[in-house]
Amino acid sequence: MKPCVLGLKKGTQSATTTGEYQSWHSGVIRTRRAFSSTRSALISPKPALAADPNLKRAESQKKVSERTRDKLADRDFFLDVLSSTATKREARSYLSKFTPAKSKSQQPATSTGPQIGKGEQGDRTSENLGKFYLPVTAVDESPVFSQAPVKKPFINEAIEPVHVALIIIREPQSLGDAILQRVGRTLSQLSRLGLSCVVVVDCEHGESEGQLRGNILEWKKAVLAQADRVALGIEHHGQEVRRLDNLLGVSLIGDQLLPSVEVRGRTYVTHRQGLLTPLRRGLITVIVPVGYTSDTQTIVPVNADEVALALTREFAGIFATVSPQEDPVKVAETFQTLQKQVSMDRIIVLDPLGGIPSTDRPDGSHVFINLEQEYGAIKEELLQSGRDMLDSPTSQANDQSPKTAFGGSNPISKFVVEEVATLPSDNRHLRKSTSSMAASPRKGAHLRNLKLIRNTLALLPSSSSALLTTPEEAANSGKRYTGLSPSPGVGTRSQRNPLIHNVLTDKPIFSPSLPTARLGPTPVKNPNPAAQILPTTFVKRGMPVTIIPDPRTEPWLPPSPSSPPTLQLSDPRIDLPRLIYLIEDSFGRKLDVDHYLKRVGNRIAGVIIAGEYEGGALLTWETPLGLSTSTNELGPSARLVPYLDKFAVLKRSQGAGGVADIVFTSMVRDCFPAGVCWRSRRDNPVNKWYFERAKGTWKMPDSNWTMFWTTEGLMQKEQTLMDYEGVCRAVVPSWADKSNVVD
């Protein structure tokens, strides 16, 4: 029996001679070939099956159908990307964020030791000797005594951060398989765009935690079934999916560090690498809201919002607990390291209820929410609408209806049963009141979504954003409206996918400052009023907006003899140097400050400042031609013209962050809801943006100015139109380079 050389350790020498080894190796090869031929003869398919033309035809058709499906998926993907209408600036921003940085190769350190000559090494490798002269790892890695610096190649070990989108799907049990498959197509497209998706399935169990203890296994089985449906919808488009149902831990102590920001909670991620590894491999993960207690590993149902907050804390690198004995420097370094691993860019909530409703917009839904400015007002608006429903006479009639045992299961169902009880079918007016009262739990669901988005964005950088829409909107793919109603907007247009558009542009589909009439055509009236609502809301943590004076306490009214103007640019609430810098940076021109201060004088109606003077507007009350400039001699103040004197955004903030939209919306919604006018040079590149937001425009003859206004029905008000024109012609510019531009 020949000795085997396969088990020898490195560095040992075989006792087998070269001839013996070759003879043994040839015998092994002959034996393997003989066994292979015998095995092939035993398991070879029948000739009739191999030559079956129907089988070949079926296999060919299967390959063709797979290629056709891949082509259709690619076509849908490119259509969605092209229909997003991203500008060059937005495309550059997307590429800079999601394109992995190329590792720059650096020259190794210079070694002063002996170098191998070019001819010495080049002559060997130039011959076709295979791998005979390649370096041997055992030799290269052996320690060498050398006082000179060792020459080693540079290895870039930096890991690109994983860009994550956290997606919450509400009530998947109410969605059909077709909708889930189309949503899965959109999620697979997001993955192709460089965004790793983490999907949380929210199956509202409708029962209290105590009632679920008896049938917890049945509940878990039902939730897993819904998670599998979501996963199958994604896998249908060739995207790999990993379902995680043992990732969450539940602590009995659920206190939080700060009341305003949920830094700590009772739900936490037990295994960070188990969450990040599938994402780094390009898989979409589906999280099941099932937790296990930290002490007894008992199954506990977890609210989907708690799961979303736990995942956000994990992605943001926030520790659940920090020991006081730990070194603060090491804690800070660990925190920075964890933050560099993941970049959570989006929070997407797919709720059948859609976006946050708004009473100010005819379409009924907020397009954009600046949380720093609007959270309190929107929350109060939702609470007030719910109170109005409770105080209505129809709701009092519903209070007399019988109660059922289902009402004590959870707060929402209890409220529905107590306030919206089942009524006799022949009582039509009470049945109508039931449908109106059914909207009150919806208000609670909207508040829940608003609170979830606020709490998650508070833990993330200001560049992160949230999107709230319906599964149907997330499922669409470049489809076109067929039935159109007359509208002053554009003609036929594609319905863009809000998720794809948002990833490429970081903006809502429609600008929030755009008038409703400019949103284009709407579908023909549907019997369901909800079909007429634009169901998508884009949310950012945003920036605070300072309005001086505050229109909620001091409405912007024209001055009169009894209330003369008092606001000056020297007001301590206004940082004049920063305001001047904002104007000069936005317009790219030097301002004649002395002339400007004299011109605006006591005409200032108010000032709007966005963030840290990233954008702003200065508005004045202008006197039309033919009226005295002295306020005491004006008489009736109805003819004073509200005029937008300066509208400025820092160059670094132009086209990003929605600063211009925030300032413009504050002006037309809060300060001058009745209308305002302004002018712009005809060659101003911003005019296109003005044209879309103005109610009317007029290129004034014999001048280089175009007049804009937001006043409703101005063309029917001849005197007001003439006053607007007179003001736009008479205002004298206050630029230092007066001779450079002809007005």
Side-chain angles (χ1 to χ4, degrees), residues 492-691:
T492 306
R493 64 176 175 88
S494 297
Q495 184 179 1
R496 288 167 286 182
N497 188 300
L499 275 64
I500 302 297
H501 175 85
N502 181 256
V503 170
L504 295 175
T505 65
D506 197 23
K507 292 181 179 179
I509 290 184
F510 302 114
S511 172
S513 60
L514 206 63
T516 308
R518 301 293 178 119
L519 297 182
T522 55
V524 177
K525 290 185 177 180
N526 192 298
N528 182 12
Q532 305 297 324
I533 297 177
L534 293 176
T536 303
T537 298
F538 178 61
V539 187
K540 295 202 77 169
R541 195 170 68 189
M543 59 188 66
V545 177
T546 304
I547 304 178
I548 306 172
D550 190 344
R552 293 173 297 182
T553 56
E554 301 178 50
W556 290 19
L557 300 175
S560 63
S562 59
S563 60
T566 58
L567 184 61
Q568 302 284 336
L569 288 181
S570 58
D571 191 289
R573 295 173 293 180
I574 302 174
D575 192 336
L576 184 58
R578 298 179 71 181
L579 180 61
I580 294 174
Y581 175 80
L582 168 63
I583 295 173
E584 292 179 346
D585 181 77
S586 177
F587 286 87
R589 304 175 66 182
K590 292 293 292 183
L591 185 69
D592 188 345
V593 180
D594 293 335
H595 181 273
Y596 187 68
L597 293 178
K598 291 178 182 178
R599 197 199 73 77
V600 295
N602 59 351
R603 301 175 181 271
I604 300 176
V607 179
I608 304 172
I609 301 297
E612 295 296 327
Y613 285 79
E614 297 178 53
L618 192 147
L619 298 104
T620 59
W621 293 107
E622 298 295 337
T623 306
L625 294 177
L627 292 182
S628 173
T629 57
S630 175
T631 305
N632 295 329
E633 301 176 6
L634 287 179
S637 58
R639 289 187 59 185
L640 288 179
V641 175
Y643 179 71
L644 173 59
D645 189 85
K646 289 290 182 289
F647 188 91
V649 178
L650 291 177
K651 278 188 168 56
R652 62 180 173 83
S653 301
Q654 292 178 5
V659 179
D661 287 321
I662 291 174
V663 176
F664 193 89
T665 302
S666 298
M667 178 184 68
V668 299
R669 182 190 61 189
D670 303 326
C671 302
F672 283 136
V676 63
C677 75
W678 69 97
R679 69 181 185 182
S680 175
R681 290 183 176 83
R682 294 190 181 185
D683 57 349
N684 191 342
V686 188
N687 283 350
K688 180 181 179 182
W689 194 85
Y690 287 151
F691 276 121

Side-chain angles (χ1 to χ4, degrees), residues 323-368:
S323 174
Q325 287 77 23
E326 294 188 37
D327 186 4
V329 177
K330 292 184 179 180
V331 171
E333 292 177 354
T334 305
F335 177 69
Q336 293 177 357
T337 303
L338 295 178
Q339 279 190 320
K340 292 178 181 179
Q341 293 179 358
V342 182
S343 173
M344 185 168 165
D345 301 307
R346 296 291 186 279
I347 303 162
I348 301 173
V349 181
L350 303 183
D351 194 324
L353 296 179
I356 305 297
S358 171
T359 57
D360 295 334
R361 299 184 65 88
D363 54 28
S365 179
H366 285 276
V367 176
F368 170 69

Side-chain angles (χ1 to χ4, degrees), residues 42-53:
L42 292 174
I43 64 174
S44 59
K46 296 181 180 180
L49 293 176
D52 188 0

Side-chain angles (χ1 to χ4, degrees), residues 33-83:
R33 287 176 179 173
F35 175 75
S36 246
S37 59
T38 308
R39 183 173 179 271
S40 301
L42 292 174
I43 64 174
S44 59
K46 296 181 180 180
L49 293 176
D52 188 0
N54 294 330
L55 182 60
K56 290 184 177 181
R57 191 181 299 110
E59 292 178 354
S60 176
Q61 291 178 354
K62 183 179 180 181
K63 292 180 179 179
V64 171
S65 63
E66 290 179 355
R67 288 197 299 268
T68 304
R69 186 182 65 184
D70 294 340
K71 289 181 179 179
L72 290 175
D74 291 339
R75 186 195 66 177
D76 291 340
F77 173 71
F78 290 125
L79 283 176
D80 287 337
V81 171
L82 293 175
S83 64

Side-chain angles (χ1 to χ4, degrees), residues 475-494:
N476 78 60
S477 176
K479 60 185 179 182
R480 292 184 175 272
Y481 290 126
T482 53
L484 300 175
S485 60
S487 173
V490 188
T492 306
R493 64 176 175 88
S494 297

Side-chain angles (χ1 to χ4, degrees), residues 669-716:
R669 182 190 61 189
D670 303 326
C671 302
F672 283 136
V676 63
C677 75
W678 69 97
R679 69 181 185 182
S680 175
R681 290 183 176 83
R682 294 190 181 185
D683 57 349
N684 191 342
V686 188
N687 283 350
K688 180 181 179 182
W689 194 85
Y690 287 151
F691 276 121
E692 293 178 342
R693 284 149 184 81
K695 293 290 182 66
T697 63
W698 183 35
K699 294 182 179 180
M700 296 185 295
D702 302 326
S703 74
N704 193 33
W705 297 110
T706 298
M707 183 174 72
F708 300 87
W709 64 86
T710 61
T711 308
E712 194 72 39
L714 182 64
M715 301 305 295
Q716 287 74 37

Side-chain angles (χ1 to χ4, degrees), residues 708-726:
F708 300 87
W709 64 86
T710 61
T711 308
E712 194 72 39
L714 182 64
M715 301 305 295
Q716 287 74 37
K717 304 172 183 177
E718 183 177 354
Q719 183 61 56
T720 306
L721 179 61
M722 293 176 61
D723 291 343
Y724 281 15
E725 178 192 2

